[in-house]
Amino acid sequence: MAPVTTIAPTDHMCIKVLQCQFANLVGFDFSNLKLDFVDFSVANLAGARFIRANLKQASFIRADLTGADFTGANLTSVNFTAAVLAGADFTNANLTSTVICGVDLESLIGITEKQLGQVQVFREKGSRYCP
């Protein structure tokens, strides 16, 4: 008798329930999707594409977003506390009321002083306090 195998739901199905903590979503293309309020905390999203996506009030706390593309994305009230954002592209992204804390800005692409002026909380990596 052959062993019974079960197929686990793929990590990207977490989008349906807005709970994607610890998910492995490397390289996924979320471009143009409405993903507001999704919790991506501690998820691996390296190389993911969020081009023109609506991520209003999403959470990326301690997520790996290495090389992610947020070009033109709505990041209003998003929380990036302690996220890994090396090489992430924020060209023309809306950062109104966004929390960026414990992040090294030196490796970000396309982020401007005007965008940083819109964030709610900003503290570079090495700051003692992050909300």
Side-chain angles (χ1 to χ4, degrees), residues 94-112:
N94 179 354
L95 298 176
T96 303
S97 299
T98 300
V99 175
I100 300 175
C101 194
V103 173
D104 181 10
L105 292 181
E106 293 297 316
S107 65
L108 301 184
I109 298 168
I111 199 159
T112 65

PDB file of all heavy atoms in Angstrom, residues 94-112:
ATOM      1  N   ASN A  94       4.295  55.858  -1.740  1.00  0.00           N
ATOM      2  CA  ASN A  94       3.653  56.745  -0.771  1.00  0.00           C
ATOM      3  C   ASN A  94       4.006  56.250   0.631  1.00  0.00           C
ATOM      4  O   ASN A  94       3.577  55.171   1.031  1.00  0.00           O
ATOM      5  CB  ASN A  94       2.138  56.736  -0.981  1.00  0.00           C
ATOM      6  CG  ASN A  94       1.399  57.619   0.008  1.00  0.00           C
ATOM      7  OD1 ASN A  94       1.975  58.160   0.934  1.00  0.00           O
ATOM      8  ND2 ASN A  94       0.103  57.749  -0.193  1.00  0.00           N
ATOM      9  N   LEU A  95       4.765  57.046   1.378  1.00  0.00           N
ATOM     10  CA  LEU A  95       5.209  56.666   2.723  1.00  0.00           C
ATOM     11  C   LEU A  95       4.504  57.470   3.816  1.00  0.00           C
ATOM     12  O   LEU A  95       5.004  57.577   4.929  1.00  0.00           O
ATOM     13  CB  LEU A  95       6.724  56.846   2.839  1.00  0.00           C
ATOM     14  CG  LEU A  95       7.570  55.982   1.914  1.00  0.00           C
ATOM     15  CD1 LEU A  95       9.042  56.321   2.048  1.00  0.00           C
ATOM     16  CD2 LEU A  95       7.342  54.513   2.198  1.00  0.00           C
ATOM     17  N   THR A  96       3.324  57.996   3.536  1.00  0.00           N
ATOM     18  CA  THR A  96       2.589  58.785   4.515  1.00  0.00           C
ATOM     19  C   THR A  96       2.301  57.968   5.773  1.00  0.00           C
ATOM     20  O   THR A  96       1.730  56.877   5.696  1.00  0.00           O
ATOM     21  CB  THR A  96       1.264  59.296   3.921  1.00  0.00           C
ATOM     22  OG1 THR A  96       1.550  60.052   2.743  1.00  0.00           O
ATOM     23  CG2 THR A  96       0.507  60.157   4.910  1.00  0.00           C
ATOM     24  N   SER A  97       2.729  58.472   6.920  1.00  0.00           N
ATOM     25  CA  SER A  97       2.502  57.860   8.237  1.00  0.00           C
ATOM     26  C   SER A  97       3.124  56.474   8.391  1.00  0.00           C
ATOM     27  O   SER A  97       2.731  55.700   9.250  1.00  0.00           O
ATOM     28  CB  SER A  97       1.009  57.793   8.560  1.00  0.00           C
ATOM     29  OG  SER A  97       0.460  59.094   8.594  1.00  0.00           O
ATOM     30  N   THR A  98       4.123  56.154   7.569  1.00  0.00           N
ATOM     31  CA  THR A  98       4.801  54.866   7.645  1.00  0.00           C
ATOM     32  C   THR A  98       5.778  54.859   8.814  1.00  0.00           C
ATOM     33  O   THR A  98       6.372  55.876   9.143  1.00  0.00           O
ATOM     34  CB  THR A  98       5.542  54.594   6.320  1.00  0.00           C
ATOM     35  OG1 THR A  98       4.576  54.571   5.285  1.00  0.00           O
ATOM     36  CG2 THR A  98       6.297  53.293   6.343  1.00  0.00           C
ATOM     37  N   VAL A  99       5.961  53.689   9.435  1.00  0.00           N
ATOM     38  CA  VAL A  99       6.941  53.529  10.510  1.00  0.00           C
ATOM     39  C   VAL A  99       8.157  52.828   9.928  1.00  0.00           C
ATOM     40  O   VAL A  99       8.060  51.696   9.446  1.00  0.00           O
ATOM     41  CB  VAL A  99       6.363  52.712  11.689  1.00  0.00           C
ATOM     42  CG1 VAL A  99       7.439  52.444  12.732  1.00  0.00           C
ATOM     43  CG2 VAL A  99       5.180  53.434  12.307  1.00  0.00           C
ATOM     44  N   ILE A 100       9.287  53.528   9.944  1.00  0.00           N
ATOM     45  CA  ILE A 100      10.557  52.958   9.489  1.00  0.00           C
ATOM     46  C   ILE A 100      11.506  53.063  10.665  1.00  0.00           C
ATOM     47  O   ILE A 100      11.960  54.141  11.007  1.00  0.00           O
ATOM     48  CB  ILE A 100      11.123  53.721   8.273  1.00  0.00           C
ATOM     49  CG1 ILE A 100      10.145  53.672   7.110  1.00  0.00           C
ATOM     50  CG2 ILE A 100      12.473  53.147   7.869  1.00  0.00           C
ATOM     51  CD1 ILE A 100      10.573  54.492   5.915  1.00  0.00           C
ATOM     52  N   CYS A 101      11.785  51.946  11.290  1.00  0.00           N
ATOM     53  CA  CYS A 101      12.579  51.968  12.510  1.00  0.00           C
ATOM     54  C   CYS A 101      13.558  50.797  12.516  1.00  0.00           C
ATOM     55  O   CYS A 101      13.175  49.660  12.253  1.00  0.00           O
ATOM     56  CB  CYS A 101      11.642  51.892  13.719  1.00  0.00           C
ATOM     57  SG  CYS A 101      12.432  52.294  15.249  1.00  0.00           S
ATOM     58  N   GLY A 102      14.818  51.085  12.818  1.00  0.00           N
ATOM     59  CA  GLY A 102      15.830  50.046  12.846  1.00  0.00           C
ATOM     60  C   GLY A 102      16.229  49.591  11.460  1.00  0.00           C
ATOM     61  O   GLY A 102      16.613  48.449  11.260  1.00  0.00           O
ATOM     62  N   VAL A 103      16.137  50.482  10.488  1.00  0.00           N
ATOM     63  CA  VAL A 103      16.410  50.153   9.089  1.00  0.00           C
ATOM     64  C   VAL A 103      17.617  50.952   8.610  1.00  0.00           C
ATOM     65  O   VAL A 103      17.743  52.130   8.910  1.00  0.00           O
ATOM     66  CB  VAL A 103      15.179  50.475   8.205  1.00  0.00           C
ATOM     67  CG1 VAL A 103      15.477  50.318   6.741  1.00  0.00           C
ATOM     68  CG2 VAL A 103      14.002  49.604   8.619  1.00  0.00           C
ATOM     69  N   ASP A 104      18.497  50.325   7.855  1.00  0.00           N
ATOM     70  CA  ASP A 104      19.651  50.986   7.269  1.00  0.00           C
ATOM     71  C   ASP A 104      19.239  51.616   5.941  1.00  0.00           C
ATOM     72  O   ASP A 104      18.971  50.906   4.972  1.00  0.00           O
ATOM     73  CB  ASP A 104      20.770  49.963   7.060  1.00  0.00           C
ATOM     74  CG  ASP A 104      22.025  50.587   6.469  1.00  0.00           C
ATOM     75  OD1 ASP A 104      22.106  51.834   6.399  1.00  0.00           O
ATOM     76  OD2 ASP A 104      22.918  49.823   6.082  1.00  0.00           O
ATOM     77  N   LEU A 105      19.176  52.946   5.900  1.00  0.00           N
ATOM     78  CA  LEU A 105      18.712  53.639   4.697  1.00  0.00           C
ATOM     79  C   LEU A 105      19.748  53.682   3.583  1.00  0.00           C
ATOM     80  O   LEU A 105      19.407  53.940   2.427  1.00  0.00           O
ATOM     81  CB  LEU A 105      18.309  55.072   5.036  1.00  0.00           C
ATOM     82  CG  LEU A 105      17.069  55.232   5.897  1.00  0.00           C
ATOM     83  CD1 LEU A 105      16.776  56.695   6.139  1.00  0.00           C
ATOM     84  CD2 LEU A 105      15.878  54.570   5.245  1.00  0.00           C
ATOM     85  N   GLU A 106      20.997  53.427   3.895  1.00  0.00           N
ATOM     86  CA  GLU A 106      22.063  53.530   2.907  1.00  0.00           C
ATOM     87  C   GLU A 106      21.855  52.614   1.701  1.00  0.00           C
ATOM     88  O   GLU A 106      22.275  52.935   0.598  1.00  0.00           O
ATOM     89  CB  GLU A 106      23.415  53.214   3.552  1.00  0.00           C
ATOM     90  CG  GLU A 106      23.838  54.239   4.577  1.00  0.00           C
ATOM     91  CD  GLU A 106      24.055  55.619   3.982  1.00  0.00           C
ATOM     92  OE1 GLU A 106      24.675  55.709   2.909  1.00  0.00           O
ATOM     93  OE2 GLU A 106      23.585  56.589   4.582  1.00  0.00           O
ATOM     94  N   SER A 107      21.217  51.478   1.904  1.00  0.00           N
ATOM     95  CA  SER A 107      21.083  50.514   0.806  1.00  0.00           C
ATOM     96  C   SER A 107      19.734  50.577   0.097  1.00  0.00           C
ATOM     97  O   SER A 107      19.461  49.763  -0.771  1.00  0.00           O
ATOM     98  CB  SER A 107      21.312  49.097   1.336  1.00  0.00           C
ATOM     99  OG  SER A 107      20.289  48.756   2.239  1.00  0.00           O
ATOM    100  N   LEU A 108      18.887  51.536   0.455  1.00  0.00           N
ATOM    101  CA  LEU A 108      17.583  51.651  -0.194  1.00  0.00           C
ATOM    102  C   LEU A 108      17.705  52.356  -1.540  1.00  0.00           C
ATOM    103  O   LEU A 108      18.545  53.216  -1.728  1.00  0.00           O
ATOM    104  CB  LEU A 108      16.599  52.403   0.695  1.00  0.00           C
ATOM    105  CG  LEU A 108      16.332  51.809   2.073  1.00  0.00           C
ATOM    106  CD1 LEU A 108      15.274  52.612   2.789  1.00  0.00           C
ATOM    107  CD2 LEU A 108      15.924  50.359   1.967  1.00  0.00           C
ATOM    108  N   ILE A 109      16.829  52.014  -2.448  1.00  0.00           N
ATOM    109  CA  ILE A 109      16.831  52.597  -3.785  1.00  0.00           C
ATOM    110  C   ILE A 109      15.610  53.490  -3.942  1.00  0.00           C
ATOM    111  O   ILE A 109      14.505  53.125  -3.544  1.00  0.00           O
ATOM    112  CB  ILE A 109      16.794  51.475  -4.858  1.00  0.00           C
ATOM    113  CG1 ILE A 109      18.041  50.601  -4.741  1.00  0.00           C
ATOM    114  CG2 ILE A 109      16.667  52.066  -6.267  1.00  0.00           C
ATOM    115  CD1 ILE A 109      17.959  49.318  -5.551  1.00  0.00           C
ATOM    116  N   GLY A 110      15.823  54.670  -4.527  1.00  0.00           N
ATOM    117  CA  GLY A 110      14.725  55.540  -4.920  1.00  0.00           C
ATOM    118  C   GLY A 110      14.023  56.283  -3.802  1.00  0.00           C
ATOM    119  O   GLY A 110      13.020  56.946  -4.054  1.00  0.00           O
ATOM    120  N   ILE A 111      14.513  56.219  -2.574  1.00  0.00           N
ATOM    121  CA  ILE A 111      13.849  56.932  -1.481  1.00  0.00           C
ATOM    122  C   ILE A 111      14.386  58.363  -1.427  1.00  0.00           C
ATOM    123  O   ILE A 111      15.578  58.596  -1.615  1.00  0.00           O
ATOM    124  CB  ILE A 111      14.015  56.195  -0.134  1.00  0.00           C
ATOM    125  CG1 ILE A 111      12.966  56.677   0.859  1.00  0.00           C
ATOM    126  CG2 ILE A 111      15.414  56.335   0.411  1.00  0.00           C
ATOM    127  CD1 ILE A 111      12.716  55.716   1.990  1.00  0.00           C
ATOM    128  N   THR A 112      13.485  59.316  -1.235  1.00  0.00           N
ATOM    129  CA  THR A 112      13.861  60.728  -1.259  1.00  0.00           C
ATOM    130  C   THR A 112      13.632  61.376   0.097  1.00  0.00           C
ATOM    131  O   THR A 112      12.922  60.831   0.953  1.00  0.00           O
ATOM    132  CB  THR A 112      13.028  61.484  -2.310  1.00  0.00           C
ATOM    133  OG1 THR A 112      11.651  61.473  -1.902  1.00  0.00           O
ATOM    134  CG2 THR A 112      13.171  60.859  -3.699  1.00  0.00           C
TER     135      THR A 112
END
